[in-house]
Amino acid sequence: MLFFRGENIAMSEVIGFELRGRLAIITIDNPPVNALGLEVRQGLISQVDRASWDEKVAAIVLIGLGRTFTAGADIREFDKPVQEPHLLSIIDHWDTIEKPIIAAIHGTALGGGLELALGCHFRVAVQAAMFGTPEVKLGIFPGAAGTQRLPRVAGLEHALELIVLGEPISAMKAFQYGIVDQIIEGDLLDGAISFAEKILEEKMPRRVSSQPKQGIGSPDDFKDIIQKYRDLASRKMRGQDSPHQALASVVDGLEMPYEQAVLKDRERFPICKDSDQSKALRYAFFAEREASKIPGVGKNISARAITNGGVIGLGTMGQGIVMCFANAGIPVQVLESSQEALENGIKNIQQNYQGMVDRGRISDQEMVNCLDLISTSTDYSTVADSDLIIEAVFENLELKKDIFSKLDSVVKKGAVLATNTSYMDINQIASVTSRPEDVIGLHFFVPAQVMKMLEVVRTKYSSNEAIATGMGLAKIFKKVGGVAGVSHGFVANRSRAPMVREANFLVEEGASPAQIDKVLRDFGMPMGVLAVSDMSGLDVSWRMRKSLAHLHDDEERYPYLADRLCEMGRLGRKTGSGWYTYGEGGTVPIPDPQVDIIAQEVAIETGIERRQISDSEIADRCLFAAVNEGAKILEEGIAYRASDIDIMWQYGFGFPRWRGGIMYHADKTGLPNVLQKVEEFYSVHGKLWKPSELLKNLVASGSSFTQG
Ligand code: 3HC
Ligand code: NAI
């Protein structure tokens, strides 16, 4: 590789060079996140070399401009051929530079960003900075010697924590782990300059993170720690290869000399990068960011400020939503129909927080702070000044309309009025108010304080500002927002309902709940679909079927078995049995031979022929039913993009991220294959399987849902 000497310096648009006394200040300026694309790498190598050859320079400070140090490699480059200089070559080269290089870190040092910082000889950071190696979440592992250098700097256990699990840590923790040499109070650059002067004055030797060059121990010495992270990877990232590849890379480096381990990494890295899992995870990364881009809601539309919130109804969902407000530090006023309901709800919230304290997730003081933010009342005037109110009462249209007209009469103008309804027509709810433009849906997933998805429902009246406020709330709650139009079940529930439907029918036809759920768990879902139904309660859909009975189309197949279970009082976990049996207060689904007997009876009554059903039919029926519905949702303009559906499945239903999402999965399967199955099921099972026009058109034109 060519390194630059003296005057032959190529200027860089993205890497700045400034001489301050005897220090060279080198800046990375590649907005928005200073990703380490080709131009940055070229600039870094030339400007650091320039400083190393410049006699006036005694030490080098490397700092990021804008909001961050660097977010790592440019992920968009992963689909292109690798171009030198590779980040690894730069970092290895810096080991040989005699002048101390100090990384000054704010924002994030993630992935290649942390590896770059490890290639510097010292690291200082502001307290708010975050450090991490999230590569496993992209289906890869730290590919610029992070797996070799981090264990040398932070010790094996801390390195495995970062590298295998991929979660970022705070600057304070990084300091405790030895990754950061000093936390800077006040201005970062000033602090980094003082630090650099100090190390020059004290003639502190450079710390080269590839030292010692020999390995740092035998895997046998660390076998318990290694096993712990192997188990954690299998449990927390079930089905995903990259954490295991990352672990293997670290383990290789224990015995092997640095150079040899790095060479082995260079062979392993492209295999991971080119894997289907990595491609799906990269797709998911960009899909998540795309979901926040809403037609009509440009940068000129700002979200309204939310300094206090309101929640109506303190049942299952209301409790979780109240916790979201409190966790975000926003005072929240809760309204219920009775004092008793309020007391019940608050008791559950307290227990929930206490559980978090007991598990060490929050401190006693944090629990007290959150609880202090919650006020309760049965009087509507108490929500008059709320900036955003979320209604979460029973799923009943008339009740919801009544509540919205009351809210309309008391709540200040400019507040956003939201409903957490799962299925109701929000256009109708909005139209009872004098300000339908301020009404939106905010559909949380259960448990609301945990699940990361927030479906923001746009009615035909919703203003762009109200939608921006809903999406802004998702960010405030540290959730992922996605927009849906009004439709029965909006996007997430509507696209999932056919999966539940097919699972129900499959039991009628001869599959056992355990077989169906196993197929879906093996596919990567965290729980089987029928175990989830039992958890939510089978009566929810039963009630809905009854309320919509007058709309039922006789040509559509009906889930008689699901009704029968409810009629027998088998409502799921809460009654001790449903698709499975649970025993008193139990939560573990136990296969129940009774269900098979009931299914046989229903099959005889309804003329269904029972048979052996293959696992592949179960997978195809459950997954492609959802895909076909997703296509109809797109066709009707209820979702903006197929990738939005995918994000909702990932964050709302735990769809395995390494499969990209339900629509991406369909693309990978090949849409002609999907259509063929949909048509086959249509001919056997009838109307519910009517192929989507969009699916047919995409197949005819050779295109796909997610590849543009
Ligand atoms: N490469 C390319 N683009 C990136 C990027 C990256 N590493 N990180 C962020 N971006 C883009 C986003 O796509 C987004 O683009 P858009 O505006 O066109 O949608 C823009 O930068 C801003 O990103 P966010 O909306 O995510 O901004 P936030 O402020 O919410 O979050 C962040 C910032 C925490 C840095 C977050 O973007 C993030 O987690 N980035 C990815 C970090 C990462 O995974 N790094 C490892 C990369 S792989 C690697 O380094 C391999 C190495 O080992 C060789
Ligand atoms: P829930 O039955 O647990 O709670 C409803 C609460 O509303 C009760 O505490 C009740 O006392 C209160 N309430 C009833 N009438 C009221 C009134 N006039 N004023 C104030 N409070 C009143 O119901 P859940 O499960 O919390 O559902 C609430 C809403 O959230 C529904 O629209 C539901 O469709 C939706 N939803 C439910 C999900 C779930 O999985 N449970 C998931 C996502 C949305």
Side-chain angles (χ1 to χ4, degrees):
M1 180 188 306
L2 177 69
F3 296 120
F4 299 90
R5 247 173 200 278
E7 277 97 63
N8 289 334
I9 296 295
M11 292 322 257
S12 169
E13 294 273 311
V14 288
I15 303 296
F17 182 103
E18 186 198 336
L19 201 57
R20 285 221 199 162
R22 55 179 173 163
L23 302 181
I25 312 296
I26 293 185
T27 50
I28 310 174
D29 184 13
N30 185 30
V33 292
N34 290 335
L36 300 166
L38 177 64
E39 215 186 330
V40 173
R41 300 198 302 277
Q42 285 169 336
L44 277 173
I45 209 151
S46 67
Q47 300 307 313
V48 171
D49 268 20
R50 170 182 175 183
S52 81
W53 290 108
D54 188 334
E55 283 166 7
K56 296 188 281 308
V57 173
I60 301 160
V61 173
L62 177 66
I63 190 166
L65 296 187
R67 66 204 236 202
T68 190
F69 177 66
T70 147
D74 187 336
I75 302 167
R76 291 184 198 276
E77 279 186 359
F78 287 5
D79 293 324
K80 303 175 190 159
V82 179
Q83 278 186 286
E84 289 287 352
H86 191 280
L87 188 56
L88 176 63
S89 322
I90 300 175
I91 292 168
D92 278 351
H93 172 56
W94 288 0
D95 282 354
T96 66
I97 288 183
E98 297 292 329
K99 297 173 187 176
I101 310 175
I102 299 109
I105 299 160
H106 73 295
T108 53
L110 293 178
L114 179 54
E115 292 172 303
L116 188 75
L118 289 171
C120 298
H121 309 127
F122 299 95
R123 289 157 292 279
V124 299
V126 293
Q127 202 157 356
M130 297 296 289
F131 292 76
T133 45
E135 283 90 338
V136 288
K137 298 187 176 180
L138 296 168
I140 51 173
F141 62 90
T147 48
Q148 309 310 322
R149 288 174 185 256
L150 204 51
R152 286 170 166 81
V153 170
L156 183 74
E157 177 140 30
H158 294 151
L160 286 178
E161 177 194 331
L162 269 94
I163 292 169
V164 176
L165 304 182
E167 293 300 333
I169 56 169
S170 67
M172 259 342 267
K173 209 166 191 189
F175 176 70
Q176 285 156 9
Y177 287 5
I179 298 167
V180 168
D181 297 294
Q182 189 176 308
I183 299 286
I184 303 290
E185 307 285 343
D187 184 74
L188 175 62
L189 183 56
D190 290 348
I193 289 174
S194 306
F195 181 86
E197 288 296 348
K198 187 170 127 219
I199 58 172
L200 288 174
E201 261 150 46
E202 293 178 4
K203 298 195 170 35
M204 217 186 274
R206 294 173 317 127
R207 297 193 192 133
V208 173
S209 61
S210 59
Q211 297 286 359
K213 288 283 178 185
Q214 72 274 22
I216 58 167
S218 145
D220 272 351
D221 300 339
F222 300 107
K223 66 175 188 305
D224 290 346
I225 299 175
I226 293 168
Q227 192 55 43
K228 172 180 160 188
Y229 281 93
R230 188 167 289 134
D231 293 345
L232 275 172
S234 303
R235 187 156 54 79
K236 293 197 165 197
M237 283 172 272
R238 194 164 64 90
Q240 213 177 301
D241 293 335
S242 53
H244 297 281
Q245 295 292 343
L247 184 79
S249 163
V250 175
V251 172
D252 278 350
L254 290 177
E255 271 182 327
M256 282 182 197
Y258 173 80
E259 277 79 11
Q260 206 181 322
V262 159
L263 267 183
K264 194 150 181 210
D265 275 354
R266 292 204 76 163
E267 286 166 19
R268 184 183 274 125
F269 189 83
I271 298 171
C272 283
K273 190 192 73 171
D274 296 335
S275 67
D276 285 344
Q277 288 199 354
S278 178
K279 286 180 189 154
L281 287 161
R282 273 139 52 193
Y283 159 80
F285 175 86
F286 289 112
E288 187 176 331
R289 275 133 193 102
E290 201 60 22
S292 64
K293 293 171 190 147
I294 304 150
V297 186
K299 288 201 164 41
N300 55 331
I301 309 282
S302 40
R304 293 184 196 150
I306 301 164
T307 54
N308 57 63
V311 172
I312 322 282
L314 200 52
T316 310
M317 294 309 287
Q319 291 162 24
I321 298 169
V322 164
M323 287 179 75
C324 292
F325 277 110
N327 295 345
I330 300 175
V332 54
Q333 177 69 49
V334 192
L335 206 67
E336 253 289 353
S337 51
S338 72
Q339 196 56 36
E340 194 194 342
L342 280 175
E343 280 161 19
N344 248 333
I346 292 293
K347 200 173 90 205
N348 288 343
I349 293 177
Q350 277 165 341
Q351 275 172 0
N352 226 318
Y353 276 124
Q354 189 57 53
M356 289 164 78
V357 172
D358 295 345
R359 288 193 300 276
R361 301 261 310 278
I362 56 169
S363 66
D364 275 315
Q365 189 54 51
E366 282 167 324
M367 170 173 79
V368 171
N369 293 348
C370 287
L371 290 171
D372 279 352
L373 290 166
I374 306 170
S375 315
T376 59
S377 175
T378 52
D379 176 359
Y380 269 77
S381 67
T382 53
V383 290
D385 282 329
S386 298
D387 297 315
L388 183 143
I389 296 167
I390 304 171
E391 166 276 308
V393 304
F394 302 134
E395 187 74 337
N396 176 310
L397 187 60
E398 291 316 311
L399 175 63
K400 287 180 193 282
K401 279 171 149 176
D402 180 49
I403 286 174
F404 272 73
S405 72
K406 282 192 187 129
L407 288 175
D408 188 38
S409 64
V410 296
V411 178
K412 69 178 180 187
K413 290 282 171 226
V416 170
L417 308 181
T419 171
N420 181 45
T421 178
S422 307
Y423 292 97
M424 296 293 143
D425 178 351
I426 310 180
N427 285 323
Q428 287 196 47
I429 297 175
S431 60
V432 301
T433 71
S434 62
R435 42 176 138 176
E437 67 282 2
D438 287 336
V439 176
I440 57 173
L442 285 178
H443 179 235
F444 289 75
F445 293 70
V446 69
Q449 75 278 17
V450 175
M451 296 304 287
K452 277 199 78 174
M453 191 65 219
L454 181 59
E455 196 173 10
V456 178
V457 186
R458 175 173 227 161
T459 73
K460 61 183 175 192
Y461 311 106
S462 307
S463 69
N464 286 333
E465 226 181 61
I467 293 297
T469 308
M471 291 298 282
L473 188 75
K475 276 212 154 171
I476 294 172
F477 285 175
K478 296 198 171 68
K479 294 189 187 295
V480 177
V483 175
V486 175
S487 157
H488 190 72
F490 313 113
V491 169
N493 282 346
R494 177 174 161 188
S495 56
R496 184 176 176 276
M499 175 187 260
V500 182
R501 176 195 85 201
E502 288 306 309
N504 291 2
F505 290 158
L506 282 159
V507 185
E508 292 179 354
E509 289 165 42
S512 72
Q515 185 194 0
I516 295 167
D517 281 358
K518 181 172 184 310
V519 168
L520 293 171
R521 274 199 321 276
D522 289 350
F523 177 80
M525 297 300 288
M527 274 175 85
V529 63
L530 295 171
V532 172
S533 296
D534 271 358
M535 190 174 68
S536 313
L538 305 189
D539 49 328
V540 180
S541 327
W542 186 37
R543 260 200 309 274
M544 192 155 61
R545 282 195 297 277
K546 283 198 280 192
S547 71
L548 298 177
H550 59 290
L551 299 176
H552 181 67
D553 176 346
D554 288 339
E555 282 178 44
E556 286 180 2
R557 187 171 165 185
Y558 185 83
Y560 291 104
L561 175 58
D563 270 12
R564 179 67 53 86
L565 293 177
C566 292
E567 283 153 15
M568 296 174 76
R570 303 182 63 115
L571 304 183
R573 269 194 206 179
K574 60 185 166 193
T575 56
S577 66
W579 293 105
Y580 296 89
T581 184
Y582 293 88
E584 190 67 27
T587 54
V588 179
I590 303 163
D592 185 352
Q594 265 309 105
V595 173
D596 196 46
I597 296 170
I598 304 164
Q600 284 179 36
E601 284 166 11
V602 170
I604 292 168
E605 288 163 26
T606 53
I608 294 165
E609 197 181 319
R610 283 171 60 86
R611 61 199 163 91
Q612 283 269 331
I613 298 177
S614 69
D615 288 355
S616 65
E617 180 180 343
I618 290 173
D620 290 348
R621 293 232 338 239
C622 289
L623 296 168
F624 296 156
V627 170
N628 196 37
E629 193 65 31
K632 290 178 185 171
I633 286 171
L634 286 170
E635 198 176 293
E636 292 166 28
I638 302 298
Y640 291 124
R641 299 163 276 251
S643 58
D644 290 358
I645 305 178
D646 285 343
I647 287 304
M648 294 194 196
W649 275 69
Q650 279 170 33
Y651 286 116
F653 307 134
F655 190 90
R657 194 167 163 93
W658 51 269
R659 287 197 190 267
I662 191 90
M663 306 309 278
Y664 182 89
H665 172 69
D667 283 345
K668 286 289 137 191
T669 307
L671 293 191
N673 300 330
V674 175
L675 180 61
Q676 192 195 347
K677 284 285 169 196
V678 170
E679 282 173 336
E680 183 186 317
F681 297 141
Y682 182 40
S683 67
V684 179
H685 303 286
K687 204 164 172 184
L688 289 167
W689 277 97
K690 187 170 188 307
S692 127
E693 288 305 313
L694 175 67
L695 179 57
K696 287 200 279 189
N697 291 342
L698 289 176
V699 170
S701 61
S703 4
S704 67
F705 290 122
T706 62
Q707 308 301 314

